[in-house]
């Protein structure tokens, strides 16, 4: 039976990383375990997750930077897609932000992952007229 969407903790790290890898979300230059620990232990972020029969079937990382809320690592296990779980996780992330006073939730989609644009549009997210710039501060 599918459980509630709840904030995950350090003890869930291994199953979370396994799901992120299965969903194709990890990249060698972003150590997923480090990303998870920072999000779970930091004061302005959480990783929300949902289990079904003891198996982790969905996650979303949500945080706020003092101005906007941001979502990362939205993943639904293959076996559970197309049943509203991705939408439910995004709604839970929105509620998380709303409770902390945030009024806008944003996310970035990798260019090669255009296939999820229709999912985000279906749940009310629209492309923004911005260009994201970035610079690494490590040697990766
Ligand atoms: C993207 C993802 C989270 C969607 O999860 P899901 O549980 O299958 O999505 P839902 O069942 O909640 O779909 C919600 C809505 O989006 C629509 N939708 C979902 N995937 C879609 C697709 N590929 N194309 C068009 N519409 C889609 C559904 O029809 C549904 O519409 P409705 O509310 O009108 O019925 C899932 O496919 C996934 O984990 N993908 C791999 C990881 C990934 O790419 N994450 C996003 C990184 S930016």
């Amino acid at each position: 039976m599918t459980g509630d969407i709840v904030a995950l903790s350090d003890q869930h790290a291994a199953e979370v990383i396994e799901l992120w890898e299965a969903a194709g979300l990890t990249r060698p230059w972003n150590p997923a375990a480090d990303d998870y620990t920072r999000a779970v232990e930091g004061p302005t972020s959480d990783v929300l997750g949902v289990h079904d029969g003891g198996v982790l079937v969905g996650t979303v990382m949500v945080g706020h930077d003092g101005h906007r809320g941001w979502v990362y690592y939205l993943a639904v296990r293959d076996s559970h897609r197309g049943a509203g779980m991705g939408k439910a996780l995004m709604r839970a992330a929105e509620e998380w932000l709303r409770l902390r006073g945030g009024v806008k939730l944003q996310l970035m989609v990798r260019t090669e992952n255009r296939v999820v644009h229709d999912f985000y549009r279906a749940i009310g997210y629209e492309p923004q007229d911005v260009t994201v710039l970035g610079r690494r501060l490590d040697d990766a």
Side-chain angles (χ1 to χ4, degrees), residues 88-104:
L89 285 160
M90 287 300 295
R91 295 293 179 250
E94 291 164 11
E95 186 58 17
W96 183 100
L97 183 64
R98 212 176 272 123
L99 287 171
R100 289 158 181 81
V103 296
K104 189 173 183 192

Side-chain angles (χ1 to χ4, degrees), residues 5 37 42 44 55 72 78 97 106 109-110 117 121 133 137 139:
I5 297 173
T37 302
T44 59
V55 177
Y72 299 91
D78 247 347
L97 183 64
Q106 305 190 144
V109 178
R110 290 194 181 101
H117 285 203
R121 280 181 182 274
L133 305 181
L137 304 180
D139 293 332

Side-chain angles (χ1 to χ4, degrees), residues 8-14 16-17 20 31-47 61 73:
L8 302 177
S9 66
D10 279 340
Q11 74 189 43
H12 298 105
V16 169
I17 308 310
W20 290 354
D34 294 353
D35 288 356
Y36 181 72
T37 302
R38 259 199 313 276
V40 165
E41 294 182 352
T44 59
S45 53
D46 269 315
V47 177
M61 180 186 288
Y73 289 108

Side-chain angles (χ1 to χ4, degrees), residues 10 14 19 30 60 65 71 74 91 101 106 115 125 127 131 137:
D10 279 340
L19 176 58
N30 283 337
V60 62
D65 59 18
V71 155
L74 174 69
R91 295 293 179 250
Q106 305 190 144
V115 65
Y125 286 74
T131 301
L137 304 180

